[in-house]
Every structure is written in structure tokens, then in C-alpha cells.
Amino acid sequence: MHEIIVDKLVAESLKGNPLRDEYNREIIKIENNVKSSTPVFIGLPGFFGSGNSFLNKSYTSFDFKDLLEKLDTEYGYIMILPDTMTKFGGNQFVDSTAIGNYKSFIARDLVDYIHSLYGNRDIYLFGKSSGGFGSISITLDYPEIFKGFIDISGDSYFPYCYLPDFSTAYLTMKGKTLEGFIESYRQQMVHSQDELETYNVVAMAASYSPDGKNIQLPFSIDTGEILPDVWNKWLEFDPVNRLSGEVEKLKGKKIILQTGNRDEYKINIGMNMIHEILKRNQIDHYYKEYPNGHFNTNYFYLDSFPEILKSYK
């Protein structure tokens, strides 16, 4: 039976962050049948979620707690679920001058914390949506630290997964300033779907195209016209683009790619592109598409975690 422990970590990387978000972060640790060889998994949540979101109970679909119960009887594991919430409502796990150094928080502060508790062990990243994006992108940035990753429908091929929301964001902010929209959003108690999509676009801009503490939108707030110089900054983060020049970094990694074949954000197209790039470059990996959309995908982990853990039995 797994044990859930809540701890705190003073994250040096987050001190002085421009949003003045808390740098003393909650860390949820889940341990089951830990041995000297048991691997560590760092869970990166989807946008509008944080570490504790993994433990939300669902009464309509298979949830992460159900997964843990399934794993308990057969495998040993250590799960680390950090609080990564920001005033933008989530995280892309990059170092941003407009948000803070969350890539460094994961790869430095949290990894040092893990080593201090458990010694040198194999460490994997996992997550879906923004968490899946963070899992592959941080592994590419720190291949010497992470043994591999599970990427479930992680943001990829940005022209398909982000561009469709730009028109909504433009129309929602039309007649306002960016700062005015942000302030209004944060004061509201309830948000429309258009406002949520717009705030998400703003958060992505704060992650991918910050200008110091300010934010560069990838389109003109006056006309809606796409701004190529800013949009190209976003594309530099796209895993599909990154792999064209960095695929060798993933050689020897344990790579799990999973997606629903009717993803509402068309992320399955980008995931398939990643699969094809890895296959073309003879990078060993596990890839599976499911008859599913973007949500209620926790059951995917029933395939991915055992795919890694079977090597540690």
C-alpha cells in the first residue's frame, strides 16, 4: 500500500520571480515498496493544474489514484508531484523572464531534493498536455539527468495546437490592452470559455515570447495580424521543430508517447510527427494512439508505467 507524504521545498530557482509567486513549494511524495533500485517519477501537471491535481478523485472516469492502486500490488515506485502553479494558472516548465525559472526548479532544485532523500536513482518525467510538453522538453535540455519520460498528448506542432486559439484571443481582447485583460481576468470569479482560451494564449506568450517582465503576443492586439518574429520564438520551443536538430539527445532514453486519436486540440497530429521523427532516426520508443480525446486519459498510464517499471522488478 503506497504512502503519501507532503513536504516543503525552498526553491532557489523561483526566488525573485516576476509574478511574486511563492518559492516555498509543496512537494507530494508517494512511495510504494521502495528498494535500492526503485526509480523516481516526477509528475508535471497539465495547464490549470498543479501537483495535487494528480490526486483529485473522479467519480466518472479512471483517475490517478486508481492507477496507483493498480501499480501497488506489482511494482515499487517513488512519485514526486511538485506544486508548479503560477498566477497565469499553470506552467509550461520553461525558464521565462515573465513567469520564473520553472525548468530550473524541476531540473535543479527538485532533482537535488530527490538526491538528498533517495540518493542517486534513475529519474523519469511524466505528464499530459502541458506536463507532457514539459517532460520531453526538459529531457532534451537535461539529457544527462533524466532517464526518459512519459508524454501524453503533450503540446506539439504548434501551428495546429495553438494557432486556432489566436483569433479567439484577439476578439476577446479587442478594444482592451493586454494588461487590462490580465487584470480583469484575475479579478473575475467566473470565466467564459473564450476568456479561458485567451488567458491560456497569454500564458503561452509569457512562456515562449517574454520581453523582460513583459509579454509579446504573437499577433497584433489591434488588427489580429500574426507577427512572424514573435511567432517564430514560439516555434523554437515546438518539440517537432526541436527534434530536427536535437533528436540524438534522446538515444538510449526510455520514451513513451501516448495520445488520443481525436484530440480536441489536434495534438495527436504533433505526437504522430514526433513518433515518425524518432522512428526515422532509429530512436527506440513506445508509441500508442487510443480512441480518445484530450481529456480523461489517466488510463493511458496503465500501459506506460509498467512499460518502464517492468525493468526494475
Side-chain angles (χ1 to χ4, degrees):
M1 180 65 181
H2 60 265
E3 180 181 9
I4 299 177
I5 307 161
V6 179
D7 199 3
K8 288 281 190 178
L9 170 62
V10 177
E12 295 295 328
S13 297
L14 301 183
K15 286 185 175 179
N17 69 80
L19 298 179
R20 299 182 181 178
D21 282 325
E22 179 61 59
Y23 60 82
N24 189 19
R25 291 289 172 140
E26 180 180 276
I27 308 294
I28 298 172
K29 301 179 291 181
I30 308 175
E31 302 174 356
N32 183 67
N33 195 23
V34 175
K35 299 177 182 178
S36 59
S37 61
T38 302
V40 178
F41 295 87
I42 299 175
L44 305 181
F47 210 81
F48 295 126
S50 193
N52 55 15
S53 302
F54 283 97
L55 303 183
N56 290 341
K57 182 62 183 172
S58 172
Y59 295 95
T60 59
S61 63
F62 186 87
D63 61 35
F64 198 76
K65 285 184 176 180
D66 295 326
L67 168 75
L68 296 178
E69 291 180 7
K70 293 282 189 182
L71 295 177
D72 279 359
T73 57
E74 194 168 356
Y75 301 103
Y77 58 80
I78 302 167
M79 304 275 186
I80 302 293
L81 310 176
D83 169 22
T84 56
M85 183 51 66
T86 73
K87 286 187 176 67
F88 279 109
N91 214 303
Q92 289 303 104
F93 310 102
V94 300
D95 285 351
S96 162
T97 55
I99 298 178
N101 296 323
Y102 285 88
K103 176 176 68 175
S104 296
F105 167 52
I106 299 298
R108 296 178 182 174
D109 301 333
L110 194 57
V111 166
D112 287 347
Y113 170 82
I114 289 168
H115 286 158
S116 70
L117 289 179
Y118 303 108
N120 291 323
R121 293 174 182 266
D122 289 345
I123 303 177
Y124 298 84
L125 296 164
F126 74 92
K128 57 186 178 181
S129 197
S130 291
F133 167 81
S135 295
I136 186 172
S137 64
I138 293 178
T139 301
L140 283 170
D141 286 330
Y142 293 93
E144 72 282 4
I145 294 178
F146 299 102
K147 188 76 172 177
F149 59 86
I150 300 170
D151 176 354
I152 296 180
S153 301
D155 300 8
S156 52
Y157 202 62
F158 289 5
Y160 285 168
C161 76
Y162 289 144
L163 265 177
D165 289 339
F166 287 5
S167 59
T168 298
Y170 162 66
L171 292 172
T172 302
M173 287 191 284
K174 192 173 182 180
K176 305 173 185 175
T177 64
L178 173 59
E179 294 75 16
F181 168 75
I182 293 173
E183 183 179 357
S184 173
Y185 179 95
R186 291 176 181 171
Q187 289 177 351
Q188 292 174 11
M189 299 297 164
V190 181
H191 305 100
S192 69
Q193 186 61 36
D194 284 355
E195 288 169 337
L196 288 170
E197 290 179 8
T198 300
Y199 199 62
N200 185 72
V201 169
V202 172
M204 297 305 109
S207 300
Y208 302 140
S209 53
D211 180 16
K213 293 184 179 181
N214 298 317
I215 301 169
Q216 289 182 312
L217 291 172
F219 55 84
S220 167
I221 200 169
D222 297 318
T223 66
E225 179 184 6
I226 301 295
L227 304 176
D229 289 348
V230 181
W231 175 232
N232 285 335
K233 292 180 180 180
W234 286 45
L235 295 178
E236 290 176 4
F237 287 89
D238 189 336
V240 172
N241 288 340
R242 289 193 64 181
L243 283 177
S244 65
E246 301 180 60
V247 70
E248 293 295 315
K249 293 180 178 180
L250 296 185
K251 275 195 171 179
K253 303 296 180 191
K254 190 67 176 180
I255 300 169
I256 313 288
L257 304 173
Q258 297 166 290
T259 189
N261 61 12
R262 53 176 187 266
D263 189 282
E264 290 85 345
Y265 306 104
K266 307 300 184 289
I267 289 174
N268 53 304
I269 300 175
M271 293 294 290
N272 185 257
M273 289 180 181
I274 294 172
H275 161 60
E276 292 294 337
I277 292 170
L278 295 179
K279 187 168 67 172
R280 190 163 59 246
N281 286 274
Q282 299 182 318
I283 304 293
D284 189 41
H285 65 288
Y286 174 102
Y287 176 73
K288 186 173 180 179
E289 293 185 8
Y290 299 77
N292 208 93
H294 192 72
F295 304 99
N296 299 319
T297 57
N298 279 305
Y299 73 92
F300 292 11
Y301 288 126
L302 288 172
D303 293 328
S304 45
F305 274 107
E307 185 67 21
I308 294 174
L309 288 169
K310 66 186 181 183
S311 302
Y312 295 89
K313 292 186 69 174

